[in-house]
Amino acid sequence: METTCSAKDLALLLSSSNSSSSLAAATFLCSQFSNISNKLSDTTYAVDNTYLLFSAYLVFAMQLGFAMLCAGSVRAKNTMNIMLTNVLDAAAGAISYYLFGFAFAFGTPSNGFIGRHHSFFALSSYPERPGADFSFFLYQWAFAIAAAGITSGSIAERTQFVAYLIYSSFLTGFVYPTVSHWFWSTDGWASASRSDNNLLFGSGAIDFAGSGVVHMVGGIAGLWGALIEGPRIGRFDRLGRSVALRGHSASLVVLGTFLLWFGWYGFNPGSFLTILKGYEKSRPYYGQWSAVGRTAVTTTLAGCTSALTTLFSKRLLAGHWNVIDVCNGLLGGFAAITSGCAVVEPWAAIVCGFVASWVLIGFNLLAKKLKYDDPLEAAQLHGGCGAWGLIFTGLFATKTYVNEVYSGDGRPYGLLMGGGGKLLAAQFVQIVVIIGWVSVTMGPLFYGLHKMNLLRISAEDEMAGMDMTRHGGFAYAYNDEDDVSVKPWGKVEPTSRSSTPTPPLTA
């Protein structure tokens, strides 16, 4: 409860008689207290805003991780193409999210399906709204382009450049924002943070940082793109057997994985949006800052457990230690824990990571059997592990953390933690509606591009590599003969000192 300083009340404490001098002193003291209170409020807002901006920078840095991971996972002849698409995901996504996406996601007041308030389109008067600031837009934009980056991995090495531009703008401007409105907006029909407390199953779906909203959306979109395009040439032989088309640089894959790992500390802990918030008066030094630290720990444990599980599992299945598989396993653990990172105990994160590893392995085996080709395993990793993450939250969310993070008492929590099945039911609803929504939006888009011959490149271009046929040259200069500066005359040898006498110096 907010209290204010009353000069008349303070005057009674300063003097037994209500004199003018005591009233003046009280007025002065109250003004000073008010100034201090305003400064503290400003400081709190500045710290929270700075925390959100720093988190946004970390999430945006994940684009570099995606770029390195994608570049290392494709063949050298398509490196320039995949790097350019990652740049375009961010650039095209920025414009479409600015014009439409942010309003569709968080425009309020609105209905439960989609945001629609006019002041949010193109940020026309957004900062003037109470509690709003540009940092929130920047943070949400970084999430939107992450979803688009996931999709680009599924359709790598065979997709026309114009198709990237079209799908990326549509995904970040409409498909993704609608889903984020459902589950993250205070008006969303399935949000756990609905302002009117009219929650789905009395709980709402808990997807704290986006196992479903970001990872499943990107993964399911990539699934439809890869299915409609078909596998890369040579991915399966004439007998239907799988042929490995290995990426050209494990070093870039590892570099990208570490950059994504680093960025995930903005992705998950940053989703609190603020940090200066107390929880329990009876516990000193305990508040949202503690939950931020716990979230970073659960994120770390899930990813590391999944990486180790993948390492030993693939050693038993394939007979060797594979760094690419370990990197994908690590990312699968991160994608899974993203939903419940703030509401589960650290030990539960280990369970999450262990199961996520086997979910990824299982979906990869299924993909080979169905002759599905995804160069970065994006649909399996982000779609499959993201879905497991939502189920995991419905099983292991704890009562204390759910009530702290979502500010309520008596809310449903994890089934295995004694909280009943309502939260788990909401999580299954989220899985179903995301699969349905992305399928009915992105599926027809990719199919339409396919029918208009705008989706897949020609077989000749695919065999030669898109760097040479579509982007003017390879990403790497393999020898000096590629340098046009020496072609007209050949290489110029340096002149020896003895053949060219130095003229004598004259006074």
Side-chain angles (χ1 to χ4, degrees):
M1 179 183 296
E2 184 179 355
T3 59
T4 58
C5 181
S6 170
K8 291 183 177 180
D9 292 340
L10 188 57
L12 296 176
L13 299 176
L14 294 175
S15 174
S16 58
S17 60
N18 192 8
S19 64
S20 59
S21 58
S22 62
L23 182 59
T27 301
F28 173 77
L29 290 175
C30 277
S31 66
Q32 297 304 306
F33 291 150
S34 297
N35 289 336
I36 293 172
S37 177
N38 291 335
K39 289 292 184 182
L40 289 175
S41 297
D42 290 345
T43 301
T44 299
Y45 187 80
V47 170
D48 286 338
N49 205 44
T50 302
Y51 173 73
L52 185 58
L53 277 173
F54 180 72
S55 298
Y57 302 152
L58 287 178
V59 177
F60 177 71
M62 296 176 76
Q63 290 300 118
L64 177 57
F66 279 125
M68 296 297 101
L69 182 69
C70 290
S73 298
V74 302
R75 290 163 290 180
K77 62 183 180 180
N78 296 311
T79 306
M80 188 181 297
N81 172 264
I82 197 66
M83 295 283 279
L84 183 58
T85 62
N86 276 271
V87 175
L88 263 285
D89 281 338
I95 302 303
S96 60
Y97 198 72
Y98 163 74
L99 292 175
F100 311 108
F102 187 64
F104 289 150
F106 298 102
T108 186
S110 65
N111 56 48
F113 177 75
I114 193 169
R116 56 184 172 84
H117 198 276
H118 64 87
S119 66
F120 284 73
F121 288 98
L123 300 179
S124 57
S125 59
Y126 168 68
E128 298 175 4
R129 301 181 65 84
D133 213 320
F134 286 118
S135 56
F136 183 68
F137 167 81
L138 192 72
Y139 188 69
Q140 296 301 332
W141 160 72
F143 270 62
I145 60 175
I150 292 168
T151 305
S152 67
S154 295
I155 56 178
E157 296 201 286
R158 60 205 190 274
T159 306
Q160 292 191 46
F161 191 67
V162 65
Y164 280 110
L165 289 173
I166 294 172
Y167 98 78
S168 181
S169 298
F170 184 61
L171 183 68
T172 55
F174 179 65
V175 179
Y176 166 83
T178 303
V179 177
S180 59
H181 180 81
W182 294 348
F183 301 104
W184 285 347
S185 171
T186 55
D187 297 321
W189 64 269
S191 174
S193 305
R194 277 185 68 99
S195 55
D196 61 3
N197 289 322
N198 185 20
L199 304 173
L200 178 67
F201 300 130
S203 166
I206 293 180
D207 189 8
F208 182 73
S211 288
V213 174
V214 178
H215 295 282
M216 279 194 67
V217 168
I220 300 301
L223 172 68
W224 280 107
L227 282 175
I228 293 171
E229 277 193 309
R232 292 166 290 172
I233 296 174
R235 180 64 179 86
F236 299 96
D237 64 17
R238 294 183 178 180
L239 298 177
R241 293 173 298 191
S242 175
V243 177
L245 300 180
R246 299 190 181 279
H248 79 283
S249 176
S251 300
L252 289 178
V253 171
V254 173
L255 174 61
T257 300
F258 272 113
L259 287 169
L260 288 170
W261 187 344
F262 180 65
W264 234 291
Y265 292 125
F267 205 94
N268 287 3
S271 291
F272 281 98
L273 306 181
T274 61
I275 192 170
L276 287 183
K277 176 183 176 182
Y279 284 156
E280 285 189 26
K281 301 296 183 181
S282 59
R283 293 182 61 181
Y285 312 115
Y286 180 72
Q288 197 136 287
W289 52 88
S290 307
V292 167
R294 184 184 66 246
T295 300
V297 170
T298 56
T299 300
T300 303
L301 292 176
C304 293
T305 301
S306 184
L308 291 173
T309 304
T310 304
L311 173 69
F312 292 106
S313 299
K314 295 293 287 187
R315 176 67 172 84
L316 294 174
L317 294 172
H320 55 265
W321 314 97
N322 191 319
V323 66
I324 306 297
D325 291 333
V326 172
C327 288
N328 284 336
L330 179 84
L331 298 177
F334 286 151
I337 194 62
T338 296
S339 169
C341 54
V343 295
V344 300
E345 295 284 0
W347 64 264
I350 294 177
V351 177
C352 177
F354 178 81
V355 176
S357 171
W358 284 104
V359 168
L360 179 58
I361 292 172
F363 274 114
N364 281 335
L365 293 175
L366 180 63
K368 287 183 179 180
K369 190 174 184 64
L370 298 177
K371 298 181 179 59
Y372 169 77
D373 181 24
D374 187 328
L376 274 89
E377 303 177 6
Q380 303 95 297
L381 193 159
H382 298 278
C385 293
W388 155 242
L390 292 173
I391 297 171
F392 161 78
T393 303
L395 295 173
F396 289 95
T398 63
K399 179 180 180 180
T400 300
Y401 298 154
V402 168
N403 289 331
E404 286 177 351
V405 174
Y406 292 96
S407 302
D409 292 319
R411 298 178 65 117
Y413 51 100
L415 175 65
L416 298 182
M417 308 304 290
K422 290 184 177 181
L423 175 58
L424 183 60
Q427 303 300 94
F428 274 113
V429 168
Q430 179 174 359
I431 293 172
V432 172
V433 297
I434 287 178
I435 293 174
W437 171 251
V438 178
S439 297
V440 301
T441 51
M442 297 301 295
L445 175 68
F446 282 121
Y447 185 73
L449 292 172
H450 170 69
K451 284 298 184 181
M452 292 186 291
N453 294 320
L454 295 175
L455 184 59
R456 184 158 184 161
I457 60 174
S458 66
E460 294 77 13
D461 286 356
E462 186 175 344
M463 294 294 290
M466 283 188 285
D467 284 4
M468 180 58 70
T469 60
R470 298 298 177 107
H471 302 290
F474 293 116
Y476 304 102
Y478 294 101
N479 51 62
D480 289 341
E481 293 178 359
D482 294 330
D483 187 353
V484 297
S485 66
V486 301
K487 281 186 177 180
W489 306 281
K491 295 182 179 180
V492 179
E493 299 294 335
T495 304
S496 63
R497 293 173 182 249
S498 58
S499 61
T500 307
T502 301
L505 297 175
T506 58

